[in-house]
Amino acid sequence: MKVKEKIKKYSQEQLLKFEDELKKEQKEKLYNQINELDFSYLDELKNNQTIDKGKITPIKAMTINEIEKNKSKYEEIGIKALQNYEVGTLLLAGGMGTRLGSDNPKGMYNIGKTKDVFIFQRLFENLLDVVKKCGKYIPFFIMTSEKNHKVTTEFLEGKNYFGYDKNFVKFFVQEMAPCVDLKGKILLESKDRIATSPNGNGGWFNSLLNNIEAKEMLEKYNIKWLNVFSVDNVLQKIADPIFVGATINGNFEVSSKVIRKVDPFEKVGVMCNKNGKPSIVEYIDLTNEMAVETDENGERVYNFGVVLNYLFNVDTLYKIKDNKLPVHIVTKKVEYINDDGVLVKPSEPNAHKFEMLCVDMIEYCNSCLPFEVERKKEFAPVKNKTGVDSVESAQNLLEENGYKL
Ligand code: UTP
């Protein structure tokens, strides 16, 4: 579709408001961006109220006690798979980390007190523990966005990947989505550039396949499982052999590390079944009755929260990759230029962003293993500067686990 047609179709004429002031190359740049950017996100502003909430029922988790009984068997299976390069790890690092409020990518945040301890460093070191155990490096994919790719790759190169063999590290860049004002008009961040934001952490598998080098690594090692995890949990175990072994042993299409909620109403997504398929119910969709519902042993049935650490079967990923994920619309502060071409830095949320989420991939899988891990040992997310899930709470948890900061 031609640029002018596309603009007309979506009623976005404001994008060319400054066209006459642009030099030839600037105009070309803007036209290219308009051509490449997916405007169909805008349709979501009309259709978005229709995300199916479905019929929610409990799903059974494998508890720490149950895992303990089969620990050595699972570990053996897991280590063997890791030694055969059947497992890759995949770091979702394309987010903007706006709540933390640092200009750099979240992984570059230094949570050390007396020495440097970068978030990326914690993740690489955790993975290196497994490498030591297995005697083999683990293929490591890192998803960035065009907003943070350069600075992330330069940082990790500069730190020599914290001792990880860089031949096993492949980066790929995720897709972007336009940012729109509250009336649905796409914003400009400058006269020749549309304001965009990363389109969520749900599109990672297709973005990986679109990258030649990353796809080559997937195929070269014939990777059968991908352990996807978020950047901000500084205590999480990655490519955990016991988790890997339990998943392979049970022949699940996906598994998810879960933690017991601190109270029935904790604000965390909870593993469940939805219309008979594995899924995650957001805390706002969990009624009070469901939150406290118990089974015959008096255990709460919606008690296991997800921590964004999933192990996906790669054959399953190929099968589900063309399914359209729901698009979530979030309202955030986005800088833009106004009608006079002046840059505005809003103090209140002024724009919608569009995001697809990794959690929504779960319900396309036929089976899922919720795998319980000990909260105090594996969950220390850095989301905010202070308070809950903050730098400070993560530092405390790291220290409780014996890390010197
Ligand atoms: P969050 O939901 O915490 O988002 O991401 P965020 O962008 O990091 O932080 P806020 O909400 O702006 O404060 C969970 C994980 O998904 C990744 C993040 O990097 C993090 O590891 N993510 C998020 C992406 O890779 N891409 C995205 O578009 C969004």
Side-chain angles (χ1 to χ4, degrees):
M1 202 186 306
K2 298 237 173 59
V3 162
K4 295 240 158 103
E5 267 173 56
K6 189 167 174 180
I7 279 181
K8 189 153 177 253
K9 179 174 168 204
Y10 289 95
S11 310
Q12 298 295 330
E13 284 75 10
Q14 78 287 357
L15 295 178
L16 298 181
K17 185 168 176 27
F18 303 101
E19 191 181 14
D20 295 342
E21 297 174 38
L22 301 180
K23 296 201 191 87
K24 191 166 167 274
E25 319 81 74
Q26 287 178 303
K27 194 168 149 178
E28 245 170 56
K29 204 176 107 189
L30 178 62
Y31 270 51
N32 282 341
Q33 196 192 13
I34 295 171
N35 252 326
E36 280 163 19
L37 207 59
D38 185 355
F39 278 19
S40 69
Y41 285 108
L42 300 173
D43 298 334
E44 300 296 333
L45 293 167
K46 293 175 225 144
N47 318 333
N48 201 252
Q49 301 321 316
T50 57
I51 293 181
D52 170 26
K53 302 239 188 271
K55 183 173 162 32
I56 304 298
T57 52
I59 190 171
K60 214 178 139 1
M62 187 184 270
T63 61
I64 290 176
N65 284 343
E66 287 164 319
I67 295 165
E68 200 56 41
K69 285 185 203 137
N70 291 302
K71 192 173 155 193
S72 43
K73 172 173 137 190
Y74 294 153
E75 191 164 28
E76 198 181 311
I77 299 173
I79 288 184
K80 208 166 131 219
L82 287 156
Q83 287 174 332
N84 290 334
Y85 302 113
E86 285 171 29
V87 186
T89 53
L90 195 147
L91 167 60
L92 301 169
M96 300 285 283
T98 39
R99 282 169 287 172
L100 186 59
S102 157
D103 287 340
N104 278 328
K106 209 187 250 186
M108 285 170 63
Y109 198 89
N110 189 351
I111 49 165
K113 289 179 175 174
T114 60
K115 58 176 185 174
D116 287 346
V117 181
F118 300 98
I119 291 182
F120 279 137
Q121 178 179 358
R122 285 273 42 277
L123 302 177
F124 273 94
E125 285 174 359
N126 283 353
L127 197 51
L128 278 164
D129 286 345
V130 186
V131 169
K132 227 181 264 166
K133 201 173 226 166
C134 298
K136 293 274 174 68
Y137 275 92
I138 299 157
F140 189 3
F141 301 90
I142 301 178
M143 180 167 89
T144 59
S145 83
E146 66 177 44
K147 301 260 183 208
N148 68 15
H149 182 76
K150 189 165 179 285
V151 55
T152 301
T153 49
E154 284 174 1
F155 175 77
L156 290 175
E157 187 70 38
K159 297 285 176 199
N160 200 19
Y161 300 88
F162 298 103
Y164 210 81
D165 182 343
K166 74 173 188 182
N167 294 313
F168 285 87
V169 181
K170 294 285 175 253
F171 294 91
F172 63 94
V173 181
Q174 71 169 99
E175 318 292 321
M176 304 295 281
C179 299
V180 300
D181 71 11
L182 302 180
K183 293 192 183 115
K185 295 289 176 195
I186 299 178
L187 295 166
L188 286 169
E189 68 179 28
S190 61
K191 290 181 180 174
D192 61 355
R193 192 156 176 84
I194 292 175
T196 57
S197 68
N199 70 345
N201 59 24
W204 59 268
F205 189 60
N206 288 317
S207 302
L208 183 161
L209 296 180
N210 287 338
N211 181 292
I212 295 171
E213 285 192 20
K215 186 165 182 267
E216 262 172 21
M217 183 157 84
L218 187 74
E219 291 170 352
K220 174 176 166 194
Y221 293 109
N222 194 11
I223 293 172
K224 296 190 168 63
W225 299 92
L226 279 173
N227 184 195
V228 180
F229 62 98
S230 68
V231 72
D232 43 43
N233 179 4
V234 289
L235 264 184
Q236 67 191 316
K237 290 194 186 143
I238 309 152
D240 172 359
I242 304 171
F243 180 46
V244 171
T247 311
I248 296 179
N249 185 62
N251 201 19
F252 290 94
E253 292 195 344
V254 66
S255 54
S256 165
K257 286 205 167 182
V258 293
I259 49 169
R260 241 166 243 258
K261 293 201 284 188
V262 279
D263 69 69
F265 306 104
E266 187 183 354
K267 293 181 174 173
V268 58
V270 169
M271 285 276 358
C272 64
N273 280 313
K274 176 167 138 185
N275 301 330
K277 300 249 289 192
S279 181
I280 285 134
V281 53
E282 287 308 322
Y283 68 90
I284 29 169
D285 296 326
L286 199 66
T287 61
N288 286 353
E289 297 81 65
M290 287 162 88
V292 294
E293 191 180 327
T294 51
D295 64 13
E296 61 284 1
N297 303 319
E299 295 281 348
R300 286 204 302 272
V301 292
Y302 297 104
N303 200 24
F304 290 101
V306 289
V307 296
L308 219 181
N309 189 317
Y310 302 105
L311 185 65
F312 281 93
N313 177 280
V314 173
D315 286 341
T316 303
L317 287 170
Y318 275 107
K319 273 186 222 144
I320 68 174
K321 76 180 176 52
D322 296 325
N323 290 330
K324 203 173 159 357
L325 292 175
V327 174
H328 299 255
I329 299 174
V330 289
T331 309
K332 298 250 171 142
K333 288 187 266 185
V334 173
E335 291 184 9
Y336 66 100
I337 56 160
N338 65 17
D339 286 347
D340 301 323
V342 177
L343 183 69
V344 181
K345 296 185 178 190
S347 53
E348 294 299 322
N350 63 315
H352 296 310
K353 292 181 172 185
F354 301 97
E355 294 187 345
M356 289 175 293
L357 302 179
C358 186
V359 289
D360 291 323
M361 295 168 71
I362 304 296
E363 60 187 75
Y364 288 113
C365 301
N366 291 310
S367 59
C368 176
L369 169 68
F371 179 96
E372 189 192 0
V373 295
E374 207 175 317
R375 186 176 183 122
K376 283 196 150 119
K377 290 195 178 151
E378 284 205 44
F379 189 55
V382 181
K383 296 282 184 195
N384 307 300
K385 226 170 193 138
T386 52
V388 181
D389 297 342
S390 64
V391 175
E392 198 185 339
S393 62
Q395 283 172 327
N396 291 341
L397 281 159
L398 280 170
E399 284 174 336
E400 276 172 36
N401 279 279
Y403 291 93
K404 298 259 174 304
L405 297 177

